[in-house]
Amino acid sequence: MAKIAFILLCHKDPDAIIQQALQLTAAGDYMAIHFDASASSEAYQQLRSALDGNPNVVFAKKRIKCGWGEWSLVQATLNAIESATVAFPRATHFYMLSGDCMAIKSAAYVHTYLDDRDADFIECYDFFESDWIKTGLKEDRLLYRHFLNERNNKRAFYACLDLQKKLGLKREIPADIQVQIGSQWWCLRRRTIEWILDFTRQRKDVMRFFKTTWIPDETFFQTLVRHLVPAQEIECRTLTFLMFSDYGMPVTFYNDHYDMLLGQDFLFARKISPEADELKKRLGALYASEREDFIVSNEGQNLFRFLTGRGREGRRFAPRFWESEATLGRGRELMIIACKKWHVAKRLAESIRNSTNYPVVDYLFNEEHTPLPDIGGIQASLEKRTRHRRALTRMLFDYYETDRMVICMDTSNIELIHDFYADRSKTKLLEIECSFSEDYLHGHAIRVGLLGEQAAEETFARLLPTIRQDIHHEVDRIRDEEFADHYRLREDALPEANAQALSDFLDIPMERALDIAKTEHLFVD
């Protein structure tokens, strides 16, 4: 059975570290701790007093001062690994943790998971070809030498970098390695760890190279694992669940995240709030249990984006220059059907096609596979369609050789609707009011990725009021805009009332509008 040696780098909160060590080692696993040398000696002595008697805990023989982005983080990790390999010869896996990580599965589940998979778990993407780095330095991390900490000495850091560039001091990467990048939270087999330690002793040139790179904890182990281990034995992922905000900061988990965390396809989570006492207590008890019946729904990332995105009212990105210059053309009329229930709008769209000569396009800004003609590639992806929305719509008018066209949109597309109303062409809006049962909202949450297929009912129950309120909020935003030529089709209205709205919206006789309003099963889910 798998026996894990947890590699813990920490620098504060000795009480939490002691609790973490006791919880993880109580299940028969091990822990090697590196406590930052810049932390107080009192805190370190507290750790030693509490844990020295535990045979499953060892401390790194040499403590060093660590700085974010520096080689010191890698060296501290290597120091802890070396202590662990000597102290725990029965350890089969080495798992990198921080002080604010906690297990989100039981020890029994974790051990079975690792036993069933003979692989190393580490993100390792090609440094130069991937887009793993979103902001900041990229190639310069490697090609120039970094002796200062950018966070502590920003001006001197960049002055040193600029001087090297000016003097042409770009260096070569060791020829036989392909630099990789990825998360620093990994889980490696013992054999891989031993290969890495041997490599560090033999390849002084590679060690010298990485010691002066910037943020090497995202490249060192990732590069060596890919260099030493056959590709088929590497799972390019982390087993630690973590999320980042739009500002690049780690998302913190609190007491009410318990059910969501258990549903993720990961073994640990980072980072748990120091104040989340109830969450830490429940996760600690969970790890000590024999439970293995976890239902993995994996909706965490989408759920986070949904809930945080609701707070961004009023956000409006400036239009691109090609958007501001593009126009549908004076004299043209764009008729927008806005509906949250796509199947309802599509049924109505099909009736309009059959009853008029208007071209009707379904959810072209929401659905990747909406049938569209080939108009030069601008229709190829949702990103292109949205970015060039006016140009795309103008080309569709030209393709269909018409001055009137109907398109469908989700009610969340308020910015797009507003943008079309700002055009010199004429725009009309038909809003379809539908009722939303709990069954429909449950299916909607699954379709958009807020819930996994196997998500717990309790998770949905807590999310339901937020989803319902979000839909109402979208409708309110549309109403607040007070768009001209805004008509409504209501599920609870008589066909005659809906026919009047359709007649005004489409400029068609009442008789034909009534036929459309009586579309069979129009509002049926």
Side-chain angles (χ1 to χ4, degrees):
M1 185 178 75
K3 301 275 284 186
I4 307 169
F6 293 102
I7 308 301
L8 178 64
L9 266 57
C10 47
H11 64 282
K12 61 180 181 179
D13 201 354
D15 291 327
I17 296 167
I18 293 167
Q19 182 183 19
Q20 183 183 33
L22 294 176
Q23 286 175 348
L24 294 176
T25 58
D29 291 314
Y30 311 108
M31 178 173 286
I33 300 174
H34 179 278
F35 195 69
D36 197 321
S38 60
S40 70
S41 58
E42 292 81 4
Y44 182 62
Q45 289 305 317
Q46 182 183 348
L47 282 178
R48 297 301 300 250
S49 298
L51 297 173
D52 272 346
N54 189 327
N56 286 12
V57 176
V58 69
F59 287 84
K61 290 184 177 180
K62 184 177 181 181
R63 294 170 61 208
I64 60 175
K65 294 182 179 180
C66 298
W68 186 91
E70 297 178 5
W71 169 256
S72 55
L73 288 174
V74 177
Q75 188 60 62
T77 305
L78 290 172
N79 291 351
I81 288 174
E82 288 176 345
S83 295
T85 55
V86 174
F88 311 127
R90 296 180 60 196
T92 61
H93 293 77
F94 292 72
Y95 197 122
M96 185 74 181
L97 285 180
S98 71
D100 48 23
C101 293
M102 287 200 72
I104 55 175
K105 300 290 189 294
S106 68
Y109 182 97
V110 170
H111 293 150
T112 300
Y113 188 96
L114 295 178
D115 282 336
D116 291 344
R117 296 161 177 81
D118 186 18
D120 295 307
F121 296 88
I122 183 170
E123 284 186 352
C124 41
Y125 301 100
D126 186 279
F127 184 92
F128 295 98
E129 297 298 327
S130 72
D131 62 347
W132 200 86
I133 299 175
K134 302 299 183 185
T135 60
L137 300 179
K138 187 173 182 179
E139 290 87 352
D140 289 352
R141 288 193 189 189
L142 306 179
L143 301 180
Y144 297 95
R145 297 164 181 83
H146 301 280
F147 306 100
L148 304 170
N149 190 299
E150 189 262 356
R151 288 193 170 183
N152 300 333
N153 304 282
K154 187 179 291 287
R155 181 176 296 180
F157 178 92
Y158 286 105
C160 180
L161 177 60
D162 291 340
L163 180 61
Q164 291 181 69
K165 289 181 177 181
K166 185 176 181 180
L167 298 176
L169 298 179
K170 182 185 293 187
R171 60 176 173 174
E172 295 293 330
I173 297 171
D176 63 329
I177 66 170
Q178 184 176 5
V179 179
Q180 306 286 304
I181 190 166
S183 168
Q184 65 269 53
W185 311 111
W186 41 254
C187 177
L188 305 177
R189 296 167 297 175
R190 184 181 193 93
R191 183 187 65 179
T192 302
I193 287 292
E194 291 172 347
W195 284 349
I196 290 173
L197 293 177
D198 287 342
F199 186 93
T200 63
R201 300 181 190 108
Q202 297 168 11
R203 293 295 303 272
K204 300 302 182 184
D205 59 323
V206 175
M207 298 298 285
R208 284 193 299 270
F209 171 77
F210 276 107
K211 284 180 179 180
T212 52
T213 60
W214 181 233
I215 319 182
D217 56 326
E218 293 180 351
T219 55
F220 179 76
F221 291 99
Q222 296 77 359
T223 301
L224 266 59
V225 170
R226 183 66 77 180
H227 182 75
L228 297 169
V229 178
Q232 63 270 22
E233 296 181 21
I234 301 173
E235 289 205 24
C236 188
R237 57 163 297 193
T238 176
L239 295 177
T240 299
F241 178 61
L242 66 162
M243 298 190 296
F244 290 90
S245 70
D246 290 348
Y247 306 101
M249 300 301 292
V251 173
T252 300
F253 300 114
Y254 296 92
N255 291 333
D256 56 350
H257 288 125
Y258 178 80
D259 291 324
M260 184 272 285
L261 290 174
L262 265 59
Q264 306 314 305
D265 188 19
F266 296 87
L267 305 183
F268 283 74
R270 180 182 186 268
K271 49 195 272 178
I272 308 299
S273 169
E275 289 78 34
D277 294 330
E278 181 186 348
L279 177 61
K280 289 190 286 188
K281 181 179 179 180
R282 296 179 73 185
L283 291 177
L286 175 71
Y287 191 72
S289 73
E290 295 296 322
R291 180 180 171 184
E292 295 195 51
D293 60 334
F294 295 93
I295 299 175
V296 174
S297 52
N298 222 31
E299 73 274 4
Q301 298 280 358
N302 290 335
L303 189 59
F304 173 75
R305 283 194 293 269
F306 168 72
L307 293 174
T308 55
R310 295 178 70 251
R312 309 239 171 111
E313 296 177 28
R315 183 180 68 174
R316 178 77 166 93
F317 291 106
R320 310 285 195 223
F321 74 91
W322 55 79
E323 293 288 0
S324 59
E325 294 301 320
T327 178
L328 306 188
R330 197 182 301 276
R332 284 178 166 167
E333 189 171 306
L334 180 67
M335 292 169 277
I336 301 172
I337 298 174
C339 185
K340 194 65 179 180
K341 289 187 175 180
W342 294 5
H343 59 280
V344 174
K346 288 180 179 180
R347 287 189 196 123
L348 181 67
E350 186 60 29
S351 291
I352 294 173
R353 285 191 194 95
N354 296 333
S355 301
T356 71
N357 60 354
Y358 299 150
V360 184
V361 184
D362 292 343
Y363 285 83
L364 72 167
F365 297 113
N366 303 101
E367 202 167 23
E368 190 80 48
H369 301 297
T370 295
L372 291 171
D374 185 353
I375 46 180
I378 194 173
Q379 81 292 343
S381 68
L382 284 177
E383 182 184 5
K384 282 188 176 182
R385 295 177 208 168
T386 305
R387 187 190 315 147
H388 307 294
R389 49 190 172 270
R390 289 196 196 177
L392 168 70
T393 310
R394 185 182 68 245
M395 293 172 75
L396 287 173
F397 272 111
D398 293 339
Y399 176 86
Y400 290 117
E401 298 180 349
T402 184
D403 287 331
R404 282 183 168 182
M405 184 168 66
V406 180
I407 64 173
C408 300
M409 283 191 194
D410 192 273
T411 51
S412 63
N413 295 139
I414 183 68
E415 284 83 7
L416 292 180
I417 297 171
H418 197 286
D419 193 53
F420 281 119
Y421 263 94
D423 191 75
R424 66 185 63 170
S425 62
K426 182 177 178 61
T427 301
K428 290 183 174 182
L429 177 65
L430 179 68
E431 175 196 340
I432 305 180
E433 291 184 14
C434 301
S435 61
F436 298 93
S437 66
E438 285 194 13
D439 286 342
Y440 174 82
L441 293 176
H442 188 275
H444 170 72
I446 292 174
R447 285 189 293 275
V448 300
L450 296 178
L451 291 177
E453 294 282 355
Q454 303 298 324
E457 285 299 322
E458 293 82 0
T459 302
F460 172 66
R462 286 197 300 272
L463 190 60
L464 176 62
T466 304
I467 298 175
R468 194 180 291 280
Q469 178 59 33
D470 201 64
I471 292 174
H472 291 320
H473 178 64
E474 291 175 1
V475 173
D476 287 342
R477 290 182 68 194
I478 291 175
R479 306 271 173 87
D480 290 343
E481 290 290 342
E482 298 183 346
F483 291 118
D485 298 307
H486 179 184
Y487 308 96
R488 295 187 185 92
L489 212 65
R490 295 181 173 88
E491 182 173 354
D492 58 359
L494 294 173
E496 290 74 17
N498 285 337
Q500 184 62 61
L502 285 166
S503 176
D504 294 339
F505 176 66
L506 296 169
D507 280 333
I508 58 175
M510 273 292 293
E511 296 80 4
R512 201 183 310 173
L514 187 58
D515 288 340
I516 297 174
K518 291 181 177 179
T519 297
E520 191 173 4
H521 308 306
L522 177 59
F523 291 98
V524 174
D525 289 337

